[in-house]
Amino acid sequence: MKKLKFAIIGCGRISYKHVEALVGNKEEVLLAATCDIEKEKAEAKKNEYIERMGQPLNVGVYTDYKEMLDKEDIDVVTIATESGYHPEITIYCMNKGKHAIVEKPMALSIKDADNMIKCAEDNNVKLCISHQNRFNAPIQKLRGAVEGDRFGRLVSGTARILWNRNMGYYEQAPWRGTWALDGGTLMNQCIHNIDLLQWMLGGEIDTVYAQCDTFLRDIEAEDFGAVVIRFKNGAIGIVEGSACVYPKNLEETLSIFGETGAVSIGGLAVNKIETWRFKDGKDSEDDILKDQGADPDTVYGFGHINLFKDMINAINNNEEPLINGEEGKKGMAIILAAYKSRLTGQPVKFPLEDFSTMEMVNVDKINK
Ligand SMILES: NC(=O)c1ccc[n+]([C@@H]2O[C@H](COP(=O)([O-])OP(=O)(O)OC[C@H]3O[C@@H](n4cnc5c(N)ncnc54)[C@H](O)[C@@H]3O)[C@@H](O)[C@H]2O)c1
């Protein structure tokens, strides 16, 4: 089968994971071009790919993604720019007939997410959102237990993201923590675990209630958020999301509790099974805990390789990727509802017709 030609748009902090994922799928794909408005970053990404592939390769370098699409023969773009730019760039690329892998969050408003989903349908291209933790081996195992109905009636779940993002992190890229381009720790860091929580507990939401504030960092959006999610099936999800844990990242843990099962997956970023108890006795907790691999030493984990693999299979077989636009929108919608709840002081009923982080720009004036 012909190799799919990829281009990376946005060659910042996370883009090394895209290179890693391309190299990890090198039998099926190649990197044809890199693009960043800062040319040296696009250049460095090209060199990183060539070095990891261990052979001289022809990779175009661009500062303008529109020019890149005109000049290069690209099948798939991966978009890792500031979050607020995702919709415009993704829609432009999909209208040019390109498949798109977009970093989380896919957008910062419901309307933009809906437009992206519709654009993919209209152009008959695949859209995949980078919630790579769904591919973590323990998370896949947990999902199997949910699908196999091993929990009985689902009661509750918690998503705890207890990390440290100091001012150095925010100063490194001034878009971080702004309402226009990012949102706060719920939208940037916690969205992965919130996505996992909703994936396990039943997806359909009834209401969302939140308390958030900006405690320690000099940013517009929240550095701590507490969210309670009531699902339509009755289960209750609780989110504790912090960028303020002293002095460094502590844990990211997902726990799911049902009538006949209890699972907790923790470690640095939901890659380590800590509790695995089921009434059905199909497996033993001791064996499960013993048999797992090492906890990755990066919060990003290794999920991008399998996320890209899933998208490549979806393109080659004309199927939907696991995390298509509709799936990518779910975690984002919960967080937008949490923001709306912070603004109004009330629980927010679903469906959330439209809401944007930009509606939060005056939150301090409103709440104080
Ligand atoms: N999946 C994950 O685990 C994960 C982890 C970190 C970040 N992210 C997401 O990835 C995205 C990027 O985050 P980051 O920390 O790498 O940011 P960053 O600021 O380090 O990098 C963004 C890059 O995009 C470039 N850029 C901006 N506009 C552009 C344009 N029009 N064309 C080409 N390049 C452009 C910037 O110059 C910059 O180099 C964000 O949406 C973030 O939420 C995802």
Side-chain angles (χ1 to χ4, degrees):
M1 191 171 282
K2 195 172 141 274
K3 287 190 180 182
L4 292 170
K5 291 184 185 153
F6 274 63
I8 299 175
I9 303 176
C11 300
R13 182 178 159 114
I14 192 62
S15 60
Y16 82 98
K17 281 284 163 192
H18 293 206
V19 169
E20 184 180 278
L22 293 173
V23 175
N25 288 288
K26 64 182 176 207
E27 305 308 325
E28 285 90 25
V29 301
L30 53 84
L31 180 65
T34 59
C35 175
D36 197 292
I37 48 175
E38 294 182 39
K39 189 164 185 200
E40 53 289 3
K41 287 190 179 173
E43 197 75 58
K45 210 45 51 187
K46 163 191 164 169
N47 294 336
E48 186 181 316
Y49 173 72
I50 289 172
E51 195 175 312
R52 292 192 69 150
M53 291 291 285
Q55 52 180 297
L57 289 162
N58 196 12
V59 179
V61 171
Y62 293 84
T63 53
D64 178 347
Y65 67 89
K66 295 179 181 172
E67 183 192 340
M68 176 181 79
L69 295 190
D70 284 344
K71 292 196 174 154
E72 299 281 345
D73 176 21
I74 306 288
D75 301 301
V76 190
V77 292
T78 78
I79 297 166
T81 63
E82 291 85 327
S83 306
Y85 300 145
H86 293 172
E88 184 186 339
I89 299 176
T90 309
I91 285 174
Y92 183 91
C93 294
M94 293 195 298
N95 277 333
K96 290 274 177 187
K98 312 304 173 192
H99 306 285
I101 298 177
V102 183
E103 269 304 338
K104 49 48 56 172
M106 65 188 291
L108 299 178
S109 79
I110 298 285
K111 208 167 268 167
D112 279 340
D114 287 341
N115 287 340
M116 290 162 80
I117 292 165
K118 181 164 186 312
C119 184
E121 282 166 13
D122 290 350
N123 289 290
N124 198 20
V125 294
K126 309 293 176 198
L127 171 62
C128 163
I129 313 304
S130 194
H131 285 298
Q132 76 274 5
N133 287 347
R134 282 204 196 184
F135 292 92
N136 292 357
I139 295 295
Q140 290 275 322
K141 207 171 172 55
L142 170 58
R143 178 69 192 175
V146 170
E147 284 177 0
D149 203 17
R150 298 183 67 189
F151 282 93
R153 184 174 180 193
L154 286 166
V155 176
S156 66
T158 58
R160 304 178 72 219
I161 306 92
L162 300 177
W163 285 353
N164 179 296
R165 292 292 176 276
N166 58 29
M167 271 320 289
Y169 164 82
Y170 292 104
E171 281 158 2
Q172 195 182 46
W175 64 275
R176 294 188 185 134
T178 63
W179 290 120
L181 294 178
D182 188 16
T185 194
L186 290 176
M187 192 62 98
N188 190 320
Q189 283 80 36
C190 307
I191 191 168
H192 286 298
N193 213 1
I194 291 171
D195 172 62
L196 296 177
L197 185 69
Q198 69 81 25
W199 195 37
M200 301 302 172
L201 282 188
E204 292 254 324
I205 312 283
D206 181 46
T207 45
V208 169
Y209 177 71
Q211 286 278 343
C212 319
D213 214 330
T214 315
F215 286 91
L216 302 181
R217 310 297 175 233
D218 185 17
I219 55 173
E220 283 178 3
E222 81 288 348
D223 57 17
F224 180 86
V227 187
V228 177
I229 307 160
R230 185 85 197 213
F231 289 85
K232 282 212 171 130
N233 62 12
I236 295 176
I238 301 158
V239 179
E240 180 188 13
S242 183
C244 295
V245 172
Y246 178 82
K248 59 179 184 177
N249 289 341
L250 182 63
E251 60 171 297
E252 180 181 8
T253 303
L254 175 72
S255 305
I256 301 295
F257 303 107
E259 198 180 358
T260 53
V263 170
S264 217
I265 300 174
L268 194 57
V270 287
N271 247 313
K272 190 170 167 233
I273 301 176
E274 290 168 344
T275 304
W276 186 271
R277 294 172 196 160
F278 287 103
K279 189 180 178 190
D280 61 21
K282 281 185 187 160
D283 41 27
S284 104
E285 183 177 39
D286 284 351
D287 290 345
I288 296 281
L289 265 50
K290 217 168 42 212
D291 288 348
Q292 58 186 329
D295 191 22
D297 57 2
T298 147
V299 294
Y300 305 145
F302 300 123
H304 277 94
I305 296 178
N306 283 330
L307 180 117
F308 275 47
K309 199 180 287 302
D310 176 67
M311 177 64 156
I312 294 161
N313 286 338
I315 293 168
N316 287 337
N317 302 317
N318 196 20
E319 292 163 358
E320 278 301 288
L322 174 66
I323 310 154
N324 63 9
E326 287 291 355
E327 286 297 305
K329 183 183 154 189
K330 289 180 177 172
M332 191 201 90
I334 292 171
I335 295 158
L336 286 173
Y339 287 160
K340 188 172 183 183
S341 173
R342 176 183 175 190
L343 205 58
T344 60
Q346 300 296 321
V348 171
K349 197 98 182 136
F350 265 58
L352 186 64
E353 291 304 338
D354 192 28
F355 196 77
S356 154
T357 53
M358 287 311 286
E359 295 185 45
M360 302 298 292
V361 286
N362 289 321
V363 67
D364 291 338
K365 286 183 206 138
I366 292 164
N367 286 359
K368 283 174 183 161

